[in-house]
Amino acid sequence: MKRSFYIMSDGEIKRKDNTFVFENDSGKKYIPIEELNDIYVFGELTLNKRFLEYASQKEVPVHFFNHYGYYIGSFYPREHLNSGYMILKQAEHYLDSTKRLFLARQFVAGSAQNILHVLKYYINRDKEMLNDTYYAIEELMGRLEGCTEVSQLMAIEGNIRDLYYKAFDLILENPDFSFEKRTRRPPQNYINTMISFGNSIIYTIVLSEIYKTHLDPRIGYLHSTNFRRFTLNLDVSEIFKPIIVDRMILTLIGKKMITKSDFDKNANGIIMKDKGKQLILQEIDKKMGVTIKHRELGREVSYRTIVRMELYKLEKHLMGEKEFKPFQSKW
Amino acid sequence: MDKEEEVRVNGTLVWYYNVCEREAWLMSHGVTPDQSDANVEMGRFIHEKSYRRETKEVSTSGIKIDILRKEDGQLVIGELKKSSRFKEITKWQLKFYMYELEKQGIKARGELLFPEEKRKEQVFLTQEDRLRLDNQIKEILRLVYQSEPPEPIKIAFCKNCAYAEFCWA
């Protein structure tokens, strides 16, 4: 099982023989390349072309975040798995509006399914007042079928998320973490800051997995494609946000593992201190390693593999082999 | 697969075809398996570390030969595999290479090599083999020109196959 490597402190990364070495004030850390899935850079990092060259050779993507924890971009090495056939299929499903609508709808429906799953968990734990939200989201889900434009799907998805995030207040009952409304760039309160940070991590996780497939991350279906930016990872992330990011946020706040002291205010709105960011990274990383039994495959697979298999399902849909049905959490 | 594009049946494809038709179809369409699969890495590693002193991976039209040397004026070609589990299948791949070389007027002897087991085995090409290979090449072409891959079927090879996660997703 390959692992992600997180760089939180300031320092320098270099290629040393057949490893990477990260050096800072507290010493050197060797990173064996064969066990490396990807690298996350949060600290102020010095690197050179030799490092990038080796990362590319060893097929290791590097994701960069700025000082506040906002995603900057990724070093996405030269594709190593190229299939002209698959790219054509991907484009075909984008250019044909019926095919594109179908996939876009699947991503929204998959997201909504897993949102309901998260709500159900709390309803079963004496939060009956969430039932109204549950039914309202169910009702919105029913409208997906009638959508004829991707923009309509996006609007419904926005409505579902609004209802759902408002329900966080009922789940948490913690005035420090009241949701108010969704704010981005910059997020205006604690919970929005956590959501933004968690989402940007899941986007990069999916991007790292796309790198291991034949899919082109620049062609998405729900999030509008401008062929310059990665969008497919945003699409697929919708399915996993509720079960990986949202659950983690609710747990961390619920167990008081994150409190308002983990945040700072600055001109850019609310930002998370390193300790909080580290905790979120740790929790998501742990979750990606959790395994569940996969019936058809006949063995246990980790959530990270589940994400990759979701991309394989998408490939098979594009190939006309099997209709894409988004992953539904059962736990 | 583009109809105008000519497909060359190569040894690798022959090998996959004998293991699993679906795998051969996927391979020929550039849908290669997950490179981080332990067995894929193992194969790469064996390749990099074994029989270092001998020439390896010589390419000629549609053929990539693992090991090549001259012995008593005769060419010896070999095929490297992790274990003898795939013996029959590897044998056919090697026979395919010998046949291809023969068509180019080169007589070669074949050897199956199992570096992990430190053994080798001689392989010969008979008239019957040639006919069987001719048929197989036709069948492979028919397969790769299909617009969709054959459905996945659970076989013994699935257990260690790098495509398993793809097929059963």
Side-chain angles (χ1 to χ4, degrees):
Chain A
M1 190 70 195
K2 297 198 174 200
R3 293 181 332 199
S4 298
F5 186 73
Y6 303 91
I7 295 175
M8 306 303 290
S9 55
D10 300 353
E12 183 173 11
I13 195 163
K14 279 200 193 112
R15 174 182 180 175
K16 179 100 174 54
D17 306 323
N18 292 332
T19 57
F20 285 141
V21 56
F22 174 68
E23 201 173 347
N24 64 3
D25 300 343
S26 44
K28 286 185 179 179
K29 204 170 165 137
Y30 288 90
I31 317 163
I33 189 92
E34 304 297 343
E35 302 171 10
L36 200 53
N37 190 63
D38 46 13
I39 302 176
Y40 283 78
V41 182
F42 293 91
E44 195 49 63
L45 182 75
T46 307
L47 53 83
N48 60 15
K49 195 172 89 195
R50 270 190 74 217
F51 159 79
L52 292 175
E53 229 172 282
Y54 199 51
S56 174
Q57 189 194 325
K58 289 293 176 183
E59 295 155 11
V60 176
V62 188
H63 307 295
F64 296 93
F65 295 78
N66 77 4
H67 177 67
Y68 305 116
Y70 297 154
Y71 177 62
I72 300 171
S74 297
F75 173 63
Y76 194 80
R78 204 163 38 86
E79 278 93 349
H80 56 292
L81 292 178
N82 256 331
S83 168
Y85 162 81
M86 196 64 80
I87 302 271
L88 288 173
K89 289 284 172 203
Q90 227 184 311
E92 176 194 320
H93 282 255
Y94 178 83
L95 295 168
D96 178 323
S97 57
T98 316
K99 289 177 178 173
R100 181 181 169 194
L101 198 65
F102 174 87
L103 279 173
R105 187 184 291 119
Q106 294 300 307
F107 294 128
V108 179
S111 164
Q113 282 287 2
N114 288 326
I115 281 175
L116 291 179
H117 183 75
V118 171
L119 291 174
K120 197 88 200 150
Y121 171 90
Y122 288 100
I123 289 169
N124 293 340
R125 275 161 190 69
D126 306 325
K127 296 269 184 193
E128 286 89 2
M129 63 287 215
L130 295 172
N131 269 321
D132 294 349
T133 310
Y134 190 97
Y135 297 131
I137 291 177
E138 259 191 339
E139 196 272 321
L140 283 167
M141 261 183 90
R143 292 192 208 169
L144 294 174
E145 212 47 54
C147 290
T148 53
E149 295 284 340
V150 174
S151 56
Q152 296 167 348
L153 292 170
M154 287 289 258
I156 292 180
E157 198 218 6
N159 294 342
I160 290 176
R161 286 237 157 229
D162 281 346
L163 284 169
Y164 169 59
Y165 285 142
K166 285 204 171 64
F168 279 21
D169 290 355
L170 299 173
I171 292 170
L172 294 169
E173 295 172 1
N174 180 337
D176 283 348
F177 285 92
S178 68
F179 180 77
E180 296 152 24
K181 64 180 198 311
R182 179 77 178 115
T183 47
R184 303 176 177 82
R185 287 188 287 257
Q188 295 300 346
N189 63 21
Y190 303 145
I191 196 141
N192 272 295
T193 300
M194 286 177 83
I195 291 168
S196 290
F197 184 68
N199 286 351
S200 66
I201 301 302
I202 196 88
Y203 296 152
T204 55
I205 287 174
V206 176
L207 184 61
S208 283
E209 293 309 308
I210 289 176
Y211 185 65
K212 301 172 192 168
T213 70
H214 315 80
L215 296 164
D216 190 313
R218 290 165 298 189
I219 307 174
Y221 301 95
L222 174 66
H223 294 83
S224 62
T225 294
N226 58 11
F227 299 116
R228 281 193 317 195
R229 194 172 290 182
F230 298 147
T231 58
L232 185 63
N233 56 329
L234 309 186
D235 285 4
V236 176
S237 293
E238 291 301 331
I239 298 166
F240 294 100
K241 273 183 200 172
I243 42 186
I244 290 167
V245 180
D246 304 341
R247 261 184 183 166
M248 175 234 14
I249 290 173
L250 293 168
T251 307
L252 289 181
I253 301 171
K255 289 188 176 165
K256 305 259 188 296
M257 291 163 79
I258 287 214
T259 59
K260 62 181 187 184
S261 67
D262 288 304
F263 298 85
D264 265 335
K265 237 192 176 67
N266 79 347
N268 269 323
I270 307 275
I271 57 162
M272 261 188 124
K273 293 180 186 165
D274 278 354
K275 186 168 112 10
K277 279 188 278 202
Q278 252 160 337
L279 190 58
I280 287 182
L281 289 170
Q282 218 174 319
E283 289 301 308
I284 293 183
D285 196 74
K286 206 158 70 189
K287 178 78 180 184
M288 295 318 288
V290 169
T291 59
I292 53 177
K293 180 96 178 141
H294 191 286
R295 240 162 14 101
E296 288 78 7
L297 192 61
R299 57 179 160 91
E300 298 259 323
V301 291
S302 67
Y303 268 97
R304 187 179 287 282
T305 306
I306 292 279
V307 170
R308 194 171 63 248
M309 287 174 83
E310 201 66 4
L311 299 165
Y312 291 154
K313 279 156 65 180
L314 186 58
E315 287 190 336
K316 292 201 284 189
H317 174 86
L318 300 173
M319 288 160 67
E321 185 177 311
K322 194 175 169 190
E323 198 170 84
F324 180 76
K325 285 261 176 298
F327 172 77
Q328 266 188 39
S329 181
K330 293 181 185 61
W331 294 270
Chain B
M1 174 133 321
D2 199 348
K3 286 280 178 289
E4 284 80 59
E5 196 184 331
E6 179 147 355
V7 181
R8 259 214 116 89
V9 174
N10 58 31
T12 321
L13 210 48
V14 170
W15 197 82
Y16 286 118
Y17 178 80
N18 282 296
V19 174
C20 164
E21 292 191 14
R22 179 175 163 86
E23 189 173 22
W25 189 97
L26 291 167
M27 271 285 177
S28 67
H29 283 71
V31 184
T32 41
D34 172 26
Q35 296 298 311
S36 60
D37 180 272
N39 289 313
V40 176
E41 283 192 21
M42 187 67 161
R44 227 185 300 160
F45 186 79
I46 291 177
H47 234 125
E48 282 165 14
K49 301 281 177 259
S50 309
Y51 302 96
R52 273 268 166 101
R53 282 159 311 172
E54 316 202 28
T55 340
K56 55 177 196 309
E57 288 244 328
V58 177
S59 294
T60 145
S61 58
I63 316 184
K64 235 163 91 188
I65 301 166
D66 276 343
I67 308 281
L68 202 57
R69 65 173 191 275
K70 268 226 147 88
E71 210 173 78
D72 316 323
Q74 202 188 16
L75 198 61
V76 180
I77 61 172
E79 194 44 44
L80 221 54
K81 279 290 171 296
K82 178 171 153 232
S83 76
S84 43
R85 265 193 54 226
F86 293 100
K87 202 173 91 180
E88 267 314 293
I89 291 165
T90 312
K91 208 183 271 180
W92 279 106
Q93 188 185 9
L94 195 53
K95 285 183 182 197
F96 169 82
Y97 287 148
M98 291 159 75
Y99 190 32
E100 288 294 300
L101 285 170
E102 196 177 80
K103 286 178 192 166
Q104 295 176 34
I106 304 165
K107 261 243 166 286
R109 243 186 34 198
E111 267 175 15
L112 281 184
L113 300 150
F114 306 102
E116 297 225 325
E117 302 161 21
K118 294 197 165 35
R119 317 188 284 113
K120 59 178 163 185
E121 211 172 287
Q122 301 293 333
V123 176
F124 305 96
L125 190 68
T126 67
Q127 188 50 32
E128 214 174 312
D129 293 340
R130 291 184 187 93
L131 288 173
R132 191 182 140 155
L133 282 165
D134 283 334
N135 273 327
Q136 207 165 87
I137 291 164
K138 281 199 202 84
E139 280 166 25
I140 292 171
L141 284 174
R142 202 171 340 187
L143 168 77
V144 300
Y145 277 118
Q146 285 173 14
S147 60
E148 264 129 53
E151 297 230 322
I153 302 165
K154 261 231 164 56
I155 54 173
F157 290 119
C158 294
K159 215 165 97 59
N160 295 316
C161 178
Y163 277 112
E165 285 170 358
F166 177 87
C167 289
W168 307 108

